[in-house]
Amino acid sequence: MEVRLSLSLPRDRTTVPLTRRVLDAALAVFSVTKDCRDDIGLAVGEACANAVQHAGMGSDYEVTVTIQEDRCIIDVVDDGTGLDTAEMPEPEPDAESGRGLRIIHALADMVELHRRQPRGMALRIVKLLTRNTPAFP
């Protein structure tokens, strides 16, 4: 079984916790453990915060979540200017930003970041699921 959720969201910071809550509720229905849901929630929150911060003015961003039997795949796509991950400096120890992608990499089992043409970024996060019960309901 596969369940897919697709959200088209305005570039507004209030959409970050909304997205986290919607995803957490969906994963809870499929008996995903709280620890696993927390990891996914933090990762998607960081991804959405990046999209809100870097997407073009007045534009929407898209979040598509695919829940499969053993994994959750999250795609966050925006039309922002993008970034060059090879040129990302290490944030200062007391910096309040600049750690989002590092956090996502630490929590996810796979992360892919691609520049879209003519502009924008596509971030894919894959997290293997741990469940309270072994199978889909």
Side-chain angles (χ1 to χ4, degrees), residues 78-107:
D78 67 59
D79 67 350
T81 57
L83 61 118
D84 184 353
T85 57
E87 295 180 13
M88 286 177 46
E90 188 68 31
E92 294 295 322
D94 59 348
E96 293 184 19
S97 64
R99 293 183 180 82
L101 284 174
R102 288 173 179 84
I103 291 169
I104 293 167
H105 277 280
L107 296 170

Side-chain angles (χ1 to χ4, degrees), residues 7-24 41 43-55 59-63 65 76-78:
L7 303 169
S8 180
L9 302 159
R11 186 178 167 257
D12 184 296
R13 64 185 177 149
T14 62
T15 62
V16 176
L18 170 70
T19 303
R20 286 182 70 158
R21 284 193 296 272
V22 167
L23 182 51
D24 186 70
V44 79
E46 292 294 333
C48 291
N50 283 346
V52 166
Q53 181 177 355
H54 300 292
S59 63
D60 292 347
Y61 69 101
E62 307 278 330
V63 178
V65 177
V76 180
V77 178
D78 67 59

Side-chain angles (χ1 to χ4, degrees), residues 11-43:
R11 186 178 167 257
D12 184 296
R13 64 185 177 149
T14 62
T15 62
V16 176
L18 170 70
T19 303
R20 286 182 70 158
R21 284 193 296 272
V22 167
L23 182 51
D24 186 70
L27 291 167
V29 168
F30 294 104
S31 301
V32 175
T33 64
K34 175 94 169 83
D35 286 345
C36 187
R37 292 191 336 256
D38 288 347
D39 287 352
I40 293 169
L42 181 53

